[in-house]
Amino acid sequence: MAIKVSHITHIDNLSSILEQSCLWLDAKRIQSGLVNQNIGYSHIKQRRLIRSVNLIADGTKN
């Protein structure tokens, strides 16, 4: 069964996504020093960076 995933990003981010062969979480992208053209609401993205998330069994943060 194929899983389809959609992601909206700025066209300037495509080369980095293809070079990395993946989409990184913002926290990991920042930690790795990868540049990103943000198209989301900055205040919401910042809140997500600092919000703790409880994980279900076999869940992951990364």
Side-chain angles (χ1 to χ4, degrees):
M1 175 168 93
I3 298 174
K4 294 183 180 182
V5 176
S6 296
H7 177 74
I8 298 171
T9 192
H10 192 280
I11 194 162
D12 290 348
N13 299 331
L14 290 179
S15 62
S16 177
I17 293 169
L18 293 173
E19 286 172 14
Q20 295 291 312
S21 299
C22 67
L23 292 170
W24 292 108
L25 298 171
D26 280 344
K28 182 71 172 180
R29 181 188 50 75
I30 292 167
Q31 179 185 29
S32 299
L34 298 172
V35 178
N36 179 56
Q37 179 64 41
N38 185 16
I39 61 169
Y41 290 112
S42 296
H43 67 285
I44 295 173
K45 294 180 81 60
Q46 183 61 35
R47 185 172 57 215
R48 289 178 181 161
L49 283 172
I50 61 173
R51 184 173 185 174
S52 178
V53 177
N54 293 327
L55 304 176
I56 61 172
D58 297 323
T60 181
K61 287 185 179 182
N62 298 333

